[in-house]
Amino acid sequence: MAIVGAGAAGTLTAVQLCETATRRRTPLGLVLIDPAPEAGRGGAYATTDPRHRLNVPAGGMSCYPDDPGHFTRWLCRHGEPTVRGTDFATRYRYGAYLADTLARAIVHAHGTVAVRRLRTRAEACAPTPDGRLGLRLLDGDGLVADSVVLATGPAATTGDWAPPRLRACARLIGSPWAPGALDGPLAGPADGAADDVLLVGTGLTAVDLALSLGRPGRTVHALSRTGLLPQPHALSPAPAMAAPEGLDAPTLPALRRTVYRHIGRAVRAHGDWRPALDSLRPHTARLWRSLTPEERAAFLRREGALWNTHRHRMAPTTAESLDRARTTRRLRVHTGTITDAVARPDGSVLLTLSDGSRITAGWVIDCTGPGPRPEDPLWRSLFGTGAAVPGPLGLGVATRDGRLLDAGGGTGLPVFTLGAPRRGELWETTAIPEIRVQAADLAGQLLAPLAPRRRPGRRRPLDAHGLPLSTHAEAAAAHRTGLERVLKVRSGAEDAFARAVALDPGFALGHAALALLGHECGADVDVPLALAEARRCARERADARERSFVDVVSRRVHGRSPGDGARALLGHLAAYPADALALAAAVPTIAFSGIDDLDTAYALNLVERSSPAYDGHWFPASLLAFLRQDQGRHDEAAELAGRALAAEPASGHAVHALAHVHYESGDHEKGRDWLDAWVSGHGRGAVHRAHFSWHVALHELALDDPAAVRRRWFAQLAPGRVTGVRALVDSGSLLWRARLSDSWRGRVPAADVLDSVAREIVERPATAFTALHAAVALTAAGDLAALRRLRDHAAGADAVQREVVVPLCEALAALVEERFHEAARGLDALLPALGRVGGSAAQREVVEETLLYALVAGGR
């Protein structure tokens, strides 16, 4: 396949072809043809001027329609860690992102997709005798391809607006983004009117050039028929709105009334028209198609300019700069057209406008936007042979689902296009959010005929519990290793699942497992990317069980409420009780957060119902052991844990259950000795080894052995040995408990723990359980300001954070300020609701101990 053009549209298409072919294991040769030195920039993203910002927030500029945060995460990893989805990045940075994403896709596809880059131009395209396509290149070479994608971007302006004398003038710049085109206007000192610039057009191109060319002593004039500048994006976006009813109105006047009423409702509800217009975006192409040619022409005449200035907006910072330039009269906006131009001896041009006024400018720059249809040699060759014809109203080219229509109205040659050439078919098609969807659709369409046929009767490999896997034997083996390590609570599961998807990038279950580990266990996984990959793979190659599991993970990560993910997980387990990874995620012991509000009795019933599917395997017994100890049935729990450990000495769930049995029953010496030996032996590979060390330290605290607590802290729980949420939950709470019981003399290094945890986790935690431990660590560090910021976050979070964490933060703040009576009252009132934050009784006990400390410190 050949892609002509390696700007944004060509790059997005190449990325989708590489990744889709790799997922499907479809061998592919891909050739990118473009003379530019770097892929991804094109004309739009080659500018190095930092004032040139994207006109869509970063959260809307991902390469992937199903992973909207991809660009924002890329910025965070490339020097902008505080960027948000509502920020407007520079255009140059976006070009770097496109190039980097393509490079990664090519590397990832190595072995399946062979990519070549030709730095030249394609000048003609014609069918070959064998039914393929021949491309003639500018350097004289030729290329034969099975299909061709024309990603040539917006058509060049025609310059029809210019009177003849201006068209012949050397001071007219027709293509401002061409390399070196602006060297003249940008060079030399300002020298009055001869240095002024007239921009013809007042759209986004004119806005960018007004910023670049503005300087003291120069006036930048901008002229258009309407004199309308693009509207700015809102500084604080209003809530999203649903599209209005009645969009399928039978006529343009009826549709116009529906839209204007919808905008009126938005202004009354939010004081802003933008949410109403944005709600139309998913429906624009359908509405455009529903109009007759006469209605489309009427819309362009009456609303075209109004739509463009409100739909294609500028960044707020850009709007501020433009307002300053207009206030100081360094930018002047005119309404009308140029009727005449006279060259003057000093090199300037005297321009007469349609209202009779005159402007003297050193340069006139065409910013009128794309022409009606592409006119380069390649497109001319297609138009000349009838392989391409103009689109509706002369806009772009005629296409059907991206494939060129010929003069007979059929899809003759396998030539495709996307982006600006499809304006006539789609109207809104020049922005990244539309182009990325077209690129993904095009990749699926191009590769569909190449999908390998599945051999009938071929048996799929199984996981350790007899469930089939939609992958090959090598990837299945890696997946089984990862699942085994999850069930044992041992490290290495993430690496095993990553190996599985490296061996088979189309393995949906492997990607979903990685997303689950990243979301639930803090594994170093790009969760949204892994989840997006899982969804793509599930659509292409997965059975019902695998698709159900991908849906479960998706709802746990992006569900509208915790209950959304819980219902999906319980429904999945009812249908597939032998899905061990789902069962591990459902029942909270140590590795996963479990299902919110899943009481012990229901969890027991869930595990007992699932147990027959495991045929005596040690895993359900280890979960049952933990649940029995939570009921206070310590003897049964110890017996179940012993049975599981006899079959698998490394079973982390069984060890965790036994640790709680020893602690809750007060058997501290035995618990300390047994667990310490396990941590030093089979527990060396435990993924949550710090938590088991924390359990040993609790025994040492109960035995009043402060020296042992300090040794264990520095050996197994200090920052560097433990990081992230685990440091907050285990290391931070241990320090505070040691401080409360007077087992830690001198400075408590709680600040060191907080420094090892991302500030986002500490001050804006996702769960009440994490928030509780963040509050404890901040109290230990005496960081009152951060404690109040955590309280403010909790006040706007979920119900448990609002109702439990907010009063907890207020009580702990009183403790830091030594208002002990107030702290004790607040903590005592919290105890009945404390179980709602989750975790074990041993973990929540830190609040009771803090209450005791407040009472004693207050003299009670």
Side-chain angles (χ1 to χ4, degrees):
M1 296 177 183
I3 299 176
V4 180
T11 295
L12 291 171
T13 305
V15 167
Q16 291 290 345
L17 281 170
C18 285
E19 296 190 355
T20 306
T22 302
R23 285 196 301 273
R24 298 181 181 182
R25 289 177 278 175
T26 302
L28 178 68
L30 184 61
V31 183
L32 274 73
I33 304 168
D34 193 301
E38 185 179 8
R41 295 203 178 276
Y45 307 115
T47 172
T48 58
D49 192 329
R51 292 168 295 188
H52 292 171
R53 299 265 163 183
L54 297 173
N55 61 315
V56 174
M61 292 295 286
S62 167
C63 285
Y64 303 99
D66 52 2
D67 184 7
H70 189 262
F71 177 46
T72 309
R73 300 196 306 276
W74 184 90
L75 288 171
C76 289
R77 292 193 302 269
H78 290 80
E80 300 184 44
T82 61
V83 71
R84 298 170 300 171
T86 54
D87 293 340
F88 292 81
T90 65
R91 300 238 301 272
Y92 191 81
R93 289 286 277 166
Y94 189 71
Y97 162 70
L98 288 174
D100 185 60
T101 303
L102 175 59
R104 290 174 182 272
I106 292 171
V107 170
H108 187 61
H110 180 70
T112 303
V113 183
V115 181
R116 284 190 296 153
R117 172 85 194 281
L118 303 180
R119 288 187 56 188
T120 184
R121 295 184 186 278
E123 292 207 307
C125 177
T128 61
D130 61 355
R132 303 173 77 196
L133 293 169
L135 287 169
R136 189 179 75 244
L137 306 180
L138 180 64
D139 57 14
D141 287 342
L143 175 73
V144 176
D146 293 290
S147 54
V148 173
V149 177
L150 303 181
T152 51
T157 57
T158 60
D160 292 344
W161 53 267
R165 286 199 287 188
L166 179 58
R167 217 174 301 170
C169 180
R171 291 296 177 118
L172 173 64
I173 298 173
S175 302
W177 298 123
L182 298 179
D183 288 351
L186 289 170
D191 57 358
D195 191 55
D196 289 351
V197 175
L198 173 64
L199 308 175
V200 181
T202 55
L204 291 167
T205 296
V207 167
D208 283 340
L209 294 185
L211 297 179
S212 291
L213 299 174
R215 58 184 178 181
R218 164 181 283 170
T219 300
V220 176
H221 300 272
L223 170 73
S224 71
R225 286 184 171 86
T226 63
L228 296 174
L229 288 167
Q231 292 290 315
H233 282 277
L235 282 170
S236 301
M241 290 182 67
E245 296 181 1
L247 278 182
D248 295 315
T251 64
L252 177 61
L255 177 61
R256 183 182 287 129
R257 288 192 296 271
T258 297
V259 170
Y260 275 101
R261 280 198 298 266
H262 184 51
I263 290 171
R265 284 193 294 270
V267 172
R268 289 192 296 273
H270 306 294
D272 189 355
W273 50 266
R274 294 171 183 84
L277 202 63
D278 292 343
S279 72
L280 302 177
R281 188 166 193 166
H283 308 279
T284 304
R286 176 176 60 81
L287 295 175
W288 177 256
R289 287 195 187 103
S290 72
L291 300 177
T292 66
E294 295 75 19
E295 287 175 326
R296 294 180 191 179
F299 168 79
L300 292 178
R301 284 194 305 271
R302 177 170 165 177
E303 278 97 10
L306 196 64
W307 172 272
N308 283 328
T309 55
H310 286 73
R311 169 66 184 77
H312 301 283
R313 300 167 213 147
M314 52 183 164
T317 53
T318 302
E320 290 174 13
S321 299
L322 219 59
D323 285 343
R324 285 196 297 272
R326 295 189 73 179
T327 300
T328 57
R329 299 188 66 78
R330 285 162 60 181
L331 171 65
R332 299 183 63 187
V333 180
H334 307 268
T335 302
T337 60
I338 299 175
T339 58
D340 194 17
V342 178
R344 295 170 51 136
D346 62 358
S348 62
V349 185
L350 178 62
L351 301 150
T352 303
L353 305 187
S354 53
D355 63 358
S357 61
R358 294 184 173 185
I359 295 173
T360 301
W363 302 90
V364 180
I365 303 177
D366 189 347
C367 305
T368 55
R373 70 178 194 181
E375 291 289 350
D376 65 30
L378 174 58
W379 280 106
R380 281 201 299 271
S381 78
L382 292 167
F383 284 124
T385 61
V389 293
L393 301 179
L395 296 175
V397 298
T399 60
R400 182 183 300 142
D401 297 327
R403 186 165 180 168
L404 265 60
L405 297 178
D406 58 23
T411 52
L413 300 180
V415 180
F416 302 80
T417 191
L418 73 165
R422 297 184 67 185
R423 285 175 67 212
E425 179 192 4
L426 303 174
W427 175 236
E428 281 294 341
T429 180
T430 58
I432 292 296
E434 282 75 34
I435 294 174
R436 67 190 181 193
V437 172
Q438 295 173 30
D441 292 344
L442 203 52
Q445 186 178 346
L446 289 166
L447 293 171
L450 308 179
R453 293 181 180 177
R454 186 173 294 171
R455 283 180 283 179
R458 182 180 178 183
R459 292 185 61 188
R460 290 185 292 163
L462 306 177
D463 73 3
H465 306 286
L467 297 176
L469 302 171
S470 297
T471 186
H472 53 69
E474 293 83 359
H479 182 80
R480 284 192 293 270
T481 298
L483 180 57
E484 178 188 30
R485 289 178 177 171
V486 168
L487 301 189
K488 291 179 181 177
V489 199
R490 295 187 71 77
S491 59
E494 171 195 342
D495 294 336
F497 289 133
R499 188 164 67 254
V501 297
L503 289 165
D504 179 8
F507 184 26
L509 214 55
H511 290 294
L514 280 172
L516 186 65
L517 288 185
H519 177 67
E520 299 275 339
C521 307
D524 186 16
V525 175
D526 187 336
V527 174
L529 179 60
L531 186 53
E533 287 285 4
R535 287 166 168 167
R536 295 166 197 153
C537 298
R539 286 194 296 267
E540 295 178 0
R541 171 165 47 94
D543 63 18
R545 194 265 305 192
E546 291 165 323
R547 289 194 298 273
S548 175
F549 185 80
V550 170
D551 181 61
V552 165
V553 178
S554 178
R555 290 173 186 271
R556 284 178 80 84
V557 175
H558 295 308
R560 295 181 179 178
S561 67
D564 190 24
R567 285 188 295 273
L569 183 50
L570 291 174
H572 177 83
L573 282 168
Y576 310 103
D579 194 329
L581 188 54
L583 185 60
V587 180
T589 61
I590 181 172
F592 296 100
S593 63
I595 293 177
D596 289 352
D597 300 326
L598 183 69
D599 61 40
T600 302
Y602 194 98
L604 276 165
N605 182 262
L606 182 64
V607 175
E608 288 169 346
R609 285 202 320 265
S610 303
S611 292
Y614 293 86
D615 194 25
H617 194 272
W618 53 265
F619 173 60
S622 66
L623 296 183
L624 284 171
F626 190 86
L627 294 170
R628 289 299 184 204
Q629 68 77 28
D630 202 37
Q631 289 181 308
R633 296 162 67 172
H634 296 144
D635 291 341
E636 289 180 56
E639 191 274 328
L640 285 164
R643 192 193 312 165
L645 288 167
E648 178 48 71
S651 171
H653 293 296
V655 171
H656 194 209
L658 206 50
H660 276 273
V661 167
H662 288 142
Y663 184 75
E664 301 294 348
S665 60
D667 199 353
H668 297 300
E669 288 189 7
K670 183 179 178 181
R672 176 197 61 192
D673 296 342
W674 178 83
L675 190 52
D676 191 32
W678 186 87
V679 167
S680 303
H682 289 293
R684 281 188 164 295
V687 70
H688 295 294
R689 189 168 181 244
H691 188 65
F692 296 114
S693 298
W694 174 82
H695 269 284
V696 182
L698 288 191
H699 289 305
E700 290 166 341
L701 275 176
L703 293 168
D704 197 19
D705 191 348
V709 172
R710 290 179 73 97
R711 284 195 302 270
R712 191 162 304 278
W713 159 267
F714 287 111
Q716 297 172 351
L717 289 162
R721 301 184 182 279
V722 189
T723 57
V725 174
R726 198 80 264 168
L728 203 61
V729 171
D730 296 326
S731 308
S733 68
L734 177 66
L735 279 178
W736 181 236
R737 292 168 90 143
R739 170 71 181 82
L740 292 175
S741 60
D742 210 22
S743 298
W744 192 288
R745 301 294 174 86
R747 186 185 76 90
V748 177
D752 299 340
V753 172
L754 291 167
D755 288 342
S756 71
V757 185
R759 184 57 55 178
E760 180 84 10
I761 293 173
V762 175
E763 295 186 11
R764 291 180 292 278
T767 67
F769 178 74
T770 304
L772 181 148
H773 286 87
V776 167
L778 291 169
T779 303
D783 193 340
L784 205 54
L787 193 59
R788 285 174 175 146
R789 288 194 294 271
L790 173 61
R791 177 201 61 194
D792 294 341
H793 162 78
D798 58 80
V800 180
Q801 291 205 50
R802 291 196 304 272
E803 295 163 19
V804 179
V805 176
V806 168
L808 174 66
C809 289
E810 291 170 348
L812 293 177
L815 189 76
V816 172
E817 294 177 329
E818 298 187 356
R819 293 180 281 116
F820 297 118
H821 294 296
E822 187 177 336
R825 278 198 307 273
L827 293 170
D828 187 48
L830 267 177
L831 293 185
L834 203 56
R836 297 176 64 196
V837 304
S840 67
Q843 288 171 317
R844 297 191 298 270
E845 198 176 60
V846 67
V847 178
E848 295 178 17
E849 295 187 4
T850 307
L851 168 59
L852 293 174
Y853 174 82
L855 290 168
V856 172
R860 296 170 63 188

